[in-house]
Amino acid sequence: MANRAHTKSHRGRRLVPGPDPRVDTLLGMVMALTSEVSMLRERLDAHESLAASGKVPDQDAVDHYQPTEADESRRKQYRDRLIDKVCRPLVASGQQDG
Amino acid sequence: MATDSQNLKTAYRPTHDEAARQAFVGALKGYVNGSMESQLAAEYDNQLKFDFMEKHGQEPRDRYQGTEAFRHSHLYQLWGSAVYTSQNLMWETVGDTCDRLEPAFEARQAMLAKRPTLGSLELQDDFVPPDPIRHVEIHRQPGGYFGPAGSTDLHRGMHYFGTVELYRNAKGLGDGSVAVGEPSMGRYLLGALQRRFDAIKPRAVLDLGCGPGSQTLAYKEAFPDAEVWGVDLSAPFLRFGHLWAEDQGVAIHFRQANASDTGLPDAKFDLIISHILFHETWDDILPAIMEEAHRLLAPGGIFINGDTPYQPDRLSIPKQVTNHWQVINNGEPFWTRFADTDVKEALIAAGFEASNVFADYDPLGTGEYFIFGGRKGT
C-alpha cells in the first residue's frame, strides 16, 4: 500500500533538477564561488574590526573572532548585496525569456 | 579544538569561516524562497495564468495544472536550479563543521559511556526501517536518515541537527536568532499547548518521531518530574539524541520504533507531542500513527502536533507549484500528500471524539505553523 508510484520515483539521488544539466552544473559552480567570496569578505571584515580595536589580526585571532551585533548587521548587507548582484542576470534572463 | 571533557553544546561551534559560509547559504535560501518566488508569482499573475487560460479555457485549479502553466518558464527553471544548488551548499557547508567536530563528539561519547546513564537508548540490531522511507533522502540529506545496523555513526544525527535552524529560518519559520541545539521548536509547541489547554502536570511525555532528540529536551525542561521518551525510526538520530541529552545531564529514554507501532504500554502517556513528523511520513501510515497515539494516551491525555502549514486551500497556485517542485526534486516526497489530509477526520477515525480535536494555525516567525491534535476522553 505504501509503495505507490509517486514515492518510488523519489528513490535514489537526483543529480540535477532542471531540463539542462549544464545550467545546474554551472549554477552550482557560480554559487560555490560566490559563497567563497562572501566568506572572504567576512574574513576581511574580521581583520578590519580587529585592527580597529588595536588587536593583531593574525590567523588565530580571525579564526576565533566573534562578530558583534553591528558586525552581523553590516555583514548581512554585504551578503544580500552580493547575492542580489550575482543573481540579477539570472532573474533578468528568466524574465526576458519566460 | 574541543576536548573529551567539553560540553557538546559549547563544542558545537562553527569556525569563523564555516559560520560565514553557512550565513551565505541561509541568505541564498532566503533569496530564492523570498525574492525569486515573488518574481515567479508576478510572472504567473501577469503572463502564465493567461497563457494557460488561452490554451485550456480556465485558470489552473491545482498544483498539477499550475506546474503545467510554469513548465516552460525560464525563471521557474532557474529558480529550481537555484533551490537545488542552495540545498547542496547547505549540506556541504554544515558537513564541513560536522566532519571537523565528529572526533570531539566521539571522544565525549566514549567518556560518557563510562558513567551511569540518566536516560536510556534502545536500538534494535535487526530493525529495518519500512518502505518507502528507508529509500528516501529526506531534504536530500546525503545518505539519508539511516545507517548500517551496528554502526556507531554520529554523523547523520550531527548533520541533520546542524542544518535544521538554518533551513527553518530560510523558510521564514524561525526568528533567526536561535543557536544550533536550542530546543526552540519544543518550547514553541509547549506554548501552543498552553494556548489551548489549562496547565497540565504529565507523569510521562512522548516525543513521537523525535529525530535527533534536541527538541525533546524542552519537554524535560518544562516537566522535570515527568518520564520523557523519544521514539524514532533512525538509529543514528537516536544515538545522537542520547549523547546530546546525557551530555547535558537530562534523563530521556530513546527507543527505536515505528511511530505506528512503538511497543510501549497502553495509556502510558499524559502528553504526546510530535514536531514535523507527519510531513515526513507517507500518508498511508498516518491513520495507524494516530491510532497508536490514542492507544498510548491515558484518559484525558493530550496529543499535539506541529507541522508545515502548506494546506493547498491556504496557498496561491504559484506557492502550490513551488511546494510541489520541492516534493519532486528536493527530498520532500510526503509533503503535499500530508497537506491534502484532513487531520481532524483522521483523529476522529483514530478514536478521538469530534468535540476534542483541533487543527488550526499559530504564528511563527514571519509565517504560521499548523497545530493539530486531540484530547482523549476520560
Side-chain angles (χ1 to χ4, degrees), chain B residues 165-310:
Chain B
E165 286 298 336
L166 196 160
Y167 190 78
R168 194 183 349 269
N169 288 329
K171 283 274 176 198
L173 295 173
D175 69 7
S177 63
V178 176
V180 172
E182 285 298 317
S184 62
M185 290 309 296
R187 290 174 187 150
Y188 171 81
L189 288 173
L190 290 166
L193 178 74
Q194 286 172 1
R195 284 189 283 279
R196 288 166 177 78
F197 298 97
D198 293 336
I200 60 168
K201 198 172 179 188
R203 293 160 303 157
V205 180
L206 172 61
D207 185 353
L208 202 55
C210 64
S214 48
Q215 305 302 328
T216 320
L217 271 65
Y219 312 137
K220 189 69 177 175
E221 177 184 78
F223 307 114
D225 296 330
E227 189 181 309
V228 175
W229 285 72
V231 164
D232 201 89
L233 290 172
S234 165
F237 283 12
L238 293 166
R239 195 178 298 116
F240 177 87
H242 178 62
L243 171 62
W244 187 253
E246 293 293 321
D247 179 68
Q248 292 184 52
V250 180
I252 295 177
H253 303 284
F254 290 102
R255 179 182 178 86
Q256 186 180 25
N258 197 323
S260 62
D261 182 17
T262 61
L264 294 165
D266 290 356
K268 179 176 177 65
F269 297 97
D270 303 300
L271 176 62
I272 300 177
I273 305 184
S274 88
H275 171 232
I276 56 174
L277 165 66
F278 285 101
H279 90 274
E280 295 192 5
T281 304
W282 58 112
D283 59 297
D284 312 62
I285 204 172
L286 179 143
I289 295 176
M290 291 193 169
E291 285 170 17
E292 178 72 350
H294 190 265
R295 181 186 74 77
L296 292 170
L297 279 178
I302 297 168
F303 182 38
I304 186 166
N305 309 275
D307 218 306
T308 48
Y310 300 137

Side-chain angles (χ1 to χ4, degrees), chain B residues 101-111 152-154 243:
Chain B
L101 292 175
E102 197 171 349
F105 273 59
E106 286 171 345
R108 184 72 172 155
Q109 185 182 36
M111 200 194 83
T152 57
D153 167 48
L154 287 172
L243 171 62

